[in-house]
Amino acid sequence: QVQLVESGGGLVQAGDSLRLVCAASGRTFSNYAMGWFRQAPGKEREFVAAITSTGGSPYYADSVKGRFTISRDNAKNTVYLRMNSLKPEDTAVYYCAAIPPHMYGSTWAADFGSWGQGTQVTVSS
């Protein structure tokens, strides 16, 4: 099990950039693939991006492809989400979560676990 804490959210204008950080505790962090999800008010939690346990083969939701980049540093037990060219529709609470390697490729929130508390991202037009 890993415990996850997100940070880096904030209020920005459309076109700005942010970098979200997900800090993990626990010795098994490098065993897990990691993902980012987001949830806007009144909407279901939706997949954003994921990356393998070794930092390869990232995949993204179509809505963020080309604008967001997921990365990780296993030496620091940290996962990042770099968000460029932010749009008002990116406004949401962003969460990181872990998934076992054999399930990598899923975009279903139910397949992920060890959710953090989330960090709010608000993009004004």
Side-chain angles (χ1 to χ4, degrees):
Q1 286 285 348
V2 293
Q3 292 77 47
L4 304 172
V5 178
E6 302 93 337
S7 62
L11 172 63
V12 298
Q13 294 186 332
D16 285 351
S17 298
L18 277 176
R19 188 183 75 162
L20 304 184
V21 180
C22 173
S25 59
R27 293 180 295 176
T28 60
F29 172 74
S30 61
N31 292 343
Y32 289 94
M34 297 296 297
W36 285 94
F37 283 74
R38 65 187 182 186
Q39 188 166 19
K43 295 188 176 182
E44 292 188 355
R45 194 166 296 190
E46 66 170 350
F47 171 80
V48 175
I51 194 167
T52 67
S53 59
T54 57
S57 302
Y59 59 100
Y60 301 91
D62 288 341
S63 59
V64 307
K65 202 172 295 184
R67 299 188 298 121
F68 290 12
T69 303
I70 187 171
S71 61
R72 68 189 292 165
D73 185 339
N74 285 346
K76 296 182 178 180
N77 276 14
T78 304
V79 181
Y80 305 97
L81 185 68
R82 177 68 180 183
M83 306 185 295
N84 296 329
S85 302
L86 282 162
K87 305 175 181 180
E89 51 264 43
D90 295 319
T91 295
V93 178
Y94 284 71
Y95 300 88
C96 64
I99 189 169
H102 71 276
M103 300 180 72
Y104 190 71
S106 172
T107 61
W108 291 94
D111 288 336
F112 288 75
S114 301
W115 295 88
Q117 85 291 344
T119 185
Q120 176 71 48
V121 172
T122 303
V123 185
S124 64
S125 57

